[in-house]
Amino acid sequence: MDVLIDIWQRMTTTHAALEPLAAWLTVGGAALIVLFPPVWRLARHAVTIVHEGGHGVVAVLCGRRLGGIRLHSDTSGLTVSRGRPNGPGMIFTLLAGYPAAGLLGLGAAWLLSRGYDVGLLWALLAALALLLVQIRNWFGLWSVAVTGAVVFGISWFGSPQAQGVFALLITAFLLFGALRTSLELQQSRSRRPGSSSDADQLAGLTHIPGIFWVGVFLAVQLTCVALSARLLGFV
């Protein structure tokens, strides 16, 4: 009981925002992670976790039965849900993946703007725990478990300054990483026409070209970046 009370107190305690220089350096660090290919190849797994989690959450909300999630070492993933192979439920499920990281980043920015940096970290831990029970392969289990261990370590043992920096780093990484995955999606579609990407599956269901859906992904993600920057006082 004492541990639960301690966790609740940590979650609900607000911290002062980072100094402007520290905040800008943290955002710059997130941008470097996304732009530097060797680091991005590793960090991209975190975006894939959110991407597949987005598919899973929306599938359940649309009344589909979630069959499980797989995460692969090449940073791809697969979410299996059962239900009608077409119709609004399937469309929204496919639509959810690419915007998920940007929307999560926006939600994280909202929490940070109110000083709940530790609350954000524990909310992410809870989401990872819920996701873990849906993982259906060993690499996926390892990937989610390691991510959760890192978040837990900072949230439990980190200083308030370290927690604030890490929370902002995650937020900015999600926002920037979401944009890069959509740009990579379009590059991949250009090289391999007729792929089975989310955008192409949406095109098959709606008879609207895949490039339109890539544009939708980017529009949502750019909106999330703009709103987050405003919430956090960067603009």
Side-chain angles (χ1 to χ4, degrees), residues 11-214:
M11 289 179 63
T12 55
T13 299
T14 58
H15 292 163
L18 295 174
E19 294 294 325
L21 178 59
W24 278 106
L25 288 174
T26 301
V27 171
L32 286 176
I33 291 172
V34 172
L35 293 174
F36 189 50
V39 180
W40 170 243
R41 281 193 290 270
L42 178 63
R44 196 185 192 284
H45 288 289
V47 180
T48 302
I49 290 172
V50 179
H51 178 114
E52 299 304 329
H55 283 312
V57 168
V58 174
V60 172
L61 291 176
C62 289
R64 300 178 63 82
R65 192 169 71 178
L66 189 59
I69 295 171
R70 290 177 173 270
L71 304 170
H72 305 134
S73 59
D74 63 354
T75 73
S76 66
L78 176 67
T79 298
V80 177
S81 64
R82 297 180 177 86
R84 286 184 57 192
N86 49 33
M90 190 64 200
I91 290 171
F92 283 119
T93 298
L94 287 169
L95 191 58
Y98 280 94
L103 292 169
L104 181 59
L106 176 59
W110 182 81
L111 285 173
L112 288 184
S113 71
R114 282 153 178 77
Y116 295 109
D117 44 2
V118 179
L120 166 61
L121 298 179
W122 280 97
L124 292 175
L125 274 174
L128 287 168
L130 291 173
L131 181 65
L132 191 64
V133 300
Q134 294 296 334
I135 300 296
R136 296 295 183 265
N137 67 326
W138 285 111
F139 183 84
L141 288 171
W142 178 87
S143 183
V144 174
V146 168
T147 303
V150 172
V151 176
F152 173 77
I154 298 295
S155 64
W156 192 261
F157 300 107
S159 65
Q161 179 77 4
Q163 291 166 344
V165 168
F166 186 64
L168 180 57
L169 184 70
I170 290 176
T171 301
F173 169 74
L174 289 170
L175 293 164
F176 297 153
L179 283 169
R180 174 154 184 175
T181 57
S182 289
L183 295 173
E184 289 178 344
L185 168 63
Q186 185 53 31
Q187 289 176 344
S188 176
R189 292 184 67 252
S190 298
R191 291 194 300 266
R192 294 182 301 165
S195 68
S196 59
S197 69
D198 292 354
D200 292 294
Q201 291 184 69
L202 283 165
L205 287 173
T206 63
H207 307 292
I208 299 173
I211 186 64
F212 169 84
W213 296 108
V214 176

